[in-house]
Amino acid sequence: MTPRRSALGWGVALMAVGVVLLLRNAGLVPADVAVWPWALLAAGAALLPRATSTEGSGRALPVALVVVGGVFSLREVGALPLEIGIWPVALIAAGVFLLTRGMSDRKTVPATTATSFDLDGAAAARVKFSYGAGILRVADGAAAGLLYEGSFLGGIRQETERHGDELDIALRHASDFPRALGSSRGLDWDVRLATDIPLDLDVRTGASRVKADLSELQVRSLSIETGASDVDVVLPARQSCRVQIEAGAADVAIRVPTGVAASVRTSSALASVDIDGSRFPRVGGTHRSHDYDTAAFRADIEIEGGLSSFSVR
């Protein structure tokens, strides 16, 4: 809706309320006729054209205002019984609000943004993924010269710093994304990373699903902090990697490629822990490969969690 149309809508609304006041002052309308129902009706009528011209749940409030204002305006002029109370109407308006908002949210389909970032000669990079609920897929496959490329449901907000020949980049959801989705949808990110430079990955997420195949990447450190999530990670096959995972009520599966030794330490009295004892036998408080000290590639894994399930294979 254009600013001109918006001004016209509010102008008509103010005129309508003014007419009611004028008629009441002139004695043409009883003095005990309340003005507030007409004000609500006028406000809802002024907002409704703008709301219906946009996506999302913005039309819920004007519809509720029209319902409340309309019912009590009809009561004031005698078209409805005076015995009608405010609570039944308020409950109906609340139901209309929630129903309209829910229907609008289901119809809202955010756009998917395809984007990439140039390495610009960087020799290493730290990539941080920060979001709430949704799906994150990470793998190799970025085109030559790119740090990453991928598709991001709802768009992303990118923050970048450079320290010498190293990049530090944070990927967050676009600022208007949660409002566009309401509560029925989550993020859906599919990211492909560069295979020819060392990487440090940092994942911060809420209730989500994380699927990361790092087998062809040079990931030297991986940090995951998550809540009620489903996490499935394949570690690098030709790179030593430090892994730190903090999880709430999560299901975490870590797969160590053949040829990679590992040391696994867990810290949780309540978690269910399943570690392949044939590959990583227990030595004191740590599970450790027989050839850990001599292996070319090693994974140091530290897991901390609450009511979670951890698997290392």
Side-chain angles (χ1 to χ4, degrees):
M1 188 177 188
T2 66
R4 181 179 179 184
R5 290 180 61 192
S6 179
L8 288 173
W10 280 109
V12 171
L14 292 174
M15 288 174 60
V17 175
V19 167
V20 173
L21 289 172
L22 182 62
L23 293 175
R24 193 174 70 171
N25 290 339
L28 299 177
V29 171
D32 59 351
V33 170
V35 176
W36 67 266
W38 302 93
L40 290 182
L41 179 59
L47 291 171
L48 194 56
R50 180 174 183 176
T52 53
S53 67
T54 60
E55 295 295 333
S57 56
R59 64 178 62 92
L61 177 60
V63 168
L65 291 176
V66 168
V67 170
V68 175
V71 169
F72 283 100
S73 295
L74 291 173
R75 190 186 73 164
E76 291 297 317
V77 298
L80 290 176
L82 292 175
E83 291 77 13
I84 292 178
I86 190 170
W87 288 112
V89 179
L91 290 175
I92 294 172
V96 170
F97 176 87
L98 294 175
L99 181 61
T100 305
R101 181 171 182 176
M103 293 176 64
S104 299
D105 286 343
R106 286 196 296 271
K107 293 177 182 178
T108 301
V109 180
T112 298
T113 300
T115 188
S116 61
F117 190 82
D118 200 312
L119 274 171
D120 193 23
R126 177 176 181 268
V127 183
K128 181 177 182 179
F129 302 93
S130 180
Y131 63 97
I135 301 173
L136 171 64
R137 305 177 191 86
V138 179
D140 61 285
L146 297 179
L147 171 58
Y148 78 84
E149 59 181 330
S151 60
F152 302 84
L153 179 67
I156 62 166
R157 181 163 50 94
Q158 181 175 281
E159 300 171 3
T160 308
E161 294 182 3
R162 181 146 186 164
H163 307 282
D165 61 354
E166 293 196 10
L167 283 172
D168 193 336
I169 185 167
L171 302 179
R172 312 176 190 278
H173 62 71
S175 58
D176 60 346
F177 186 75
R179 292 194 297 272
L181 292 184
S183 59
S184 60
R185 297 287 300 277
L187 297 168
D188 191 340
W189 289 3
D190 194 342
V191 187
R192 299 176 298 281
L193 296 171
T195 59
D196 53 352
I197 63 168
L199 299 170
D200 297 296
L201 304 184
D202 189 347
V203 179
R204 297 289 181 268
T205 176
S208 62
R209 180 181 179 190
V210 178
K211 187 174 180 60
D213 184 352
L214 313 179
S215 57
E216 299 300 319
L217 297 171
Q218 298 182 45
V219 177
R220 56 192 180 186
S221 72
L222 171 66
S223 175
I224 298 177
E225 185 176 321
T226 185
S229 300
D230 183 359
V231 179
D232 187 349
V233 177
V234 181
L235 296 182
R238 291 179 293 278
Q239 169 72 47
S240 292
C241 183
R242 185 178 69 257
V243 180
Q244 292 182 310
I245 296 178
E246 294 183 20
D251 187 357
V252 180
I254 300 175
R255 286 176 281 171
V256 182
T258 302
V260 178
S263 171
V264 185
R265 292 177 292 277
T266 62
S267 176
S268 176
L270 300 177
S272 170
V273 180
D274 180 15
I275 299 176
D276 186 349
S278 62
R279 289 191 63 191
F280 317 112
R282 188 179 184 89
V283 180
T286 302
H287 290 263
R288 187 181 176 99
S289 301
H290 292 293
D291 61 343
Y292 179 83
D293 292 326
T294 60
F297 305 118
R298 294 177 291 187
D300 286 290
I301 305 170
E302 294 186 8
I303 302 174
E304 181 178 349
L307 295 171
S308 299
S309 173
F310 300 123
S311 171
V312 181
R313 295 289 175 185

